[in-house]
Amino acid sequence: MSPRRTDASASLWEDAQKVIPGGVNSPVRAFGAVGGTPVFFDRGDGSKLYDVDGNAYIDFVGSWGPLVLGHCSPPVTEAVSAALAKGTSFGASTAAEVELARLIVDAVPSIERVRLVNSGTEATMSAIRVARGFTGRGKIIKATGCYHGHADHLLVEAGSGATTFGVPTSSGVPEEFAGQTLLVPYNDADAVADALNRHGDDIACMILEPIAGNMGLIPPNDGYLSDLRDLTEKHGALLIFDEVMTGFRVAYGGAQERYGVTPDVTCLGKIVGGGLPVGAYGGRKDIMACVAPEGPVYQAGTLSGNPLATAAGIAMLRELARDAVYERLDQAAAEIAEGFAQAADAAGESVHIARVGSMVCMFFARGPITNYADATTSDTARYGRYFHALLDRGVYMPPSQYEVFFISLAHGPSDVADTIEAMREALTASAT
Ligand SMILES: *Cc1c(COP(=O)(O)O)cnc(C)c1O
């Protein structure tokens, strides 16, 4: 194995830190959780990423989820090019935004009306404002370790980057804001029942990831989501599924289709924008009627429903609506998870593998892992060594134990075989 070239990335990393806080535009990119110098990428193509030093990698980050078709998927690229030729932004109504909204309404069981925004953060922030406006109540319930973007009232023991960096709450969030958020452990319906029994009249909503994907990957226990459905309904609180990661990922209709539990409001992002900045929130007609200009809950956006972004989103969803897409994703993911399990077994390594469809997480922990406290038993230093050993072998996985490994339709049989071989070597090479 010839050593990986890193000079160009190292030089950019030095420059970046002089002009960008921490050298990055989103914390996890700084490699704080795995050490070493971040890789600067130049281009992507199908399953592959190429960095500024000319190294190639099989990419399992997929821009943190959106790229379920891989990089530069022709339908998406062509749709964006065609839209680009007609103008980048009008700040006014277009046919494409109606079409994307129609596709979402037809796909996601809980969504009768949908509003497009520019990020997942905006979607969850707005959904919570709507829940408060609709119910006239102030407090919310959040599951520890679930990440819902970086709005103030949600940065309360947030997962994702904040977990890895060991910062339970962000500076700059007033205690009064955080005090509006009640925390419960994930997969614990009794804790939700208790919170609702004590504060039910004040609680506007419970928000959670129906499959937790920002503390590693943690699927919901049997019955957990339907228990939450019953409990919130009983107390007049809304149930919000944050499907920014799982929407169009674990099934065309998201986790709510997969598990057969319908929330009141759903948040989307990532895949729905086809790799461009899009978020969305939607739900029952009577709830969404609260949103301005129809109702009193204000929410707006200069670039919302942007023509390039809606073109990408429409092209993406049309591809995902084809036959057997999710079966193909599932099969490639199952092979990789099985390959890793066998390699870990052969190396005598104790690991816990979580998988739902094309979302996979390889925890360096014994398991079982059903909540945030369990997830933090992982050996993150071990993960960091493994991550670098894989990077040196041309496989790019998330630079943090607490992120999800995403399989795309661009990962073909040779990518799967090469990845399994690289995992086998990397496990041994990074053992101590
Ligand atoms: C990524 C993510 C968000 C935040 O989306 P951004 O577009 O990064 O603001 C919110 N919720 C979940 C579940 C996510 O995975």
Side-chain angles (χ1 to χ4, degrees):
M1 194 184 73
S2 57
R4 192 165 57 93
R5 293 176 301 276
T6 56
D7 290 355
S9 274
S11 161
L12 280 168
W13 179 230
E14 230 172 79
D15 292 348
Q17 292 173 87
K18 291 175 188 151
V19 288
I20 304 174
V24 290
N25 283 313
S26 197
V28 70
R29 300 179 194 172
F31 275 29
V34 291
T37 304
V39 182
F40 283 69
F41 291 106
D42 179 46
R43 66 189 178 90
D45 182 18
S47 62
K48 303 284 194 326
L49 267 176
Y50 299 87
D51 72 13
V52 290
D53 286 283
N55 302 300
Y57 308 88
I58 305 173
D59 177 25
F60 289 102
V61 178
S63 191
W64 304 97
L67 301 185
V68 66
L69 304 178
H71 296 272
C72 295
S73 161
V76 174
T77 307
E78 283 157 22
V80 174
S81 302
L84 179 60
K86 293 164 73 174
T88 53
S89 181
F90 313 130
S93 298
T94 63
E97 62 187 357
V98 184
E99 184 175 354
L100 182 55
R102 168 54 61 195
L103 287 169
I104 294 170
V105 166
D106 287 347
V108 183
S110 64
I111 300 185
E112 293 177 341
R113 296 279 189 276
V114 64
R115 172 62 66 81
L116 298 178
V117 293
N118 304 286
S119 68
T121 293
E122 251 189 276
T124 58
M125 182 183 81
S126 308
I128 285 170
R129 186 178 304 141
V130 168
R132 286 173 163 154
F134 181 77
T135 58
R137 300 171 176 180
K139 289 192 166 29
I140 66 172
I141 301 178
K142 174 188 179 296
T144 304
C146 281
Y147 178 68
H148 305 293
H150 62 83
D152 281 338
H153 43 242
L154 293 167
L155 281 182
V156 183
E157 294 189 24
S160 200
T163 307
T164 301
F165 294 117
V167 185
T169 56
S170 168
S171 165
V173 175
E175 266 174 40
E176 291 81 353
F177 289 17
Q180 297 297 306
T181 305
L182 278 83
L183 286 157
V184 292
Y186 194 74
N187 269 327
D188 184 349
D190 290 343
V192 177
D194 187 53
L196 284 165
N197 284 333
R198 282 185 291 125
H199 305 282
D201 293 347
D202 296 330
I203 292 175
C205 64
M206 172 162 186
I207 184 168
L208 84 161
E209 298 173 69
I211 299 164
N214 285 285
M215 44 178 157
L217 177 67
I218 304 182
N221 288 345
D222 284 349
Y224 176 57
L225 298 176
S226 57
D227 285 351
L228 297 185
R229 178 63 288 178
D230 294 345
L231 286 165
T232 47
E233 203 163 292
K234 183 173 144 203
H235 289 271
L238 300 188
L239 180 62
I240 304 178
F241 278 3
D242 178 354
E243 297 227 42
V244 170
M245 185 184 287
T246 53
F248 299 99
R249 166 61 69 178
V250 296
Y252 191 66
Q256 56 198 273
E257 176 190 317
R258 193 171 175 116
Y259 294 101
V261 176
T262 305
D264 299 297
V265 176
T266 298
C267 303
L268 296 168
K270 299 195 169 118
I271 288 179
V272 82
L276 272 79
V278 178
Y281 66 100
R284 275 192 353 240
K285 200 163 54 174
D286 60 323
I287 297 170
M288 293 303 286
C290 290
V291 179
E294 196 173 344
V297 176
Y298 192 71
Q299 185 272 310
T302 302
L303 293 176
S304 295
N306 173 268
L308 302 188
T310 46
I314 290 166
M316 174 73 94
L317 299 198
R318 284 199 189 134
E319 288 305 304
L320 294 177
R322 291 175 190 277
D323 283 347
V325 158
Y326 291 92
E327 288 80 352
R328 277 166 58 204
L329 284 168
D330 192 73
Q331 195 188 335
E335 279 176 40
I336 287 177
E338 181 56 28
F340 177 80
Q342 286 177 6
D345 200 40
E349 190 103 42
S350 84
V351 297
H352 169 77
I353 302 167
R355 182 174 79 84
V356 181
S358 58
M359 297 167 67
V360 183
C361 184
M362 298 118 178
F363 286 101
F364 285 90
R366 210 172 288 279
I369 293 181
T370 62
N371 59 29
Y372 179 71
D374 294 343
T376 58
T377 63
S378 303
D379 185 346
T380 54
R382 176 77 192 87
Y383 182 89
R385 294 196 306 276
Y386 173 65
F387 166 84
H388 280 288
L390 268 181
L391 202 61
D392 288 339
R393 286 163 180 79
V395 175
Y396 179 60
M397 63 190 296
S400 164
Q401 169 72 88
Y402 298 112
E403 302 286 355
V404 167
F405 184 108
F406 294 104
I407 284 84
S408 79
L409 289 167
H411 291 110
S414 67
D415 292 318
V416 171
D418 290 351
T419 300
I420 292 170
E421 183 53 28
M423 286 175 154
R424 192 182 309 282
E425 286 180 26
L427 271 177
T428 315
S430 63
T432 45

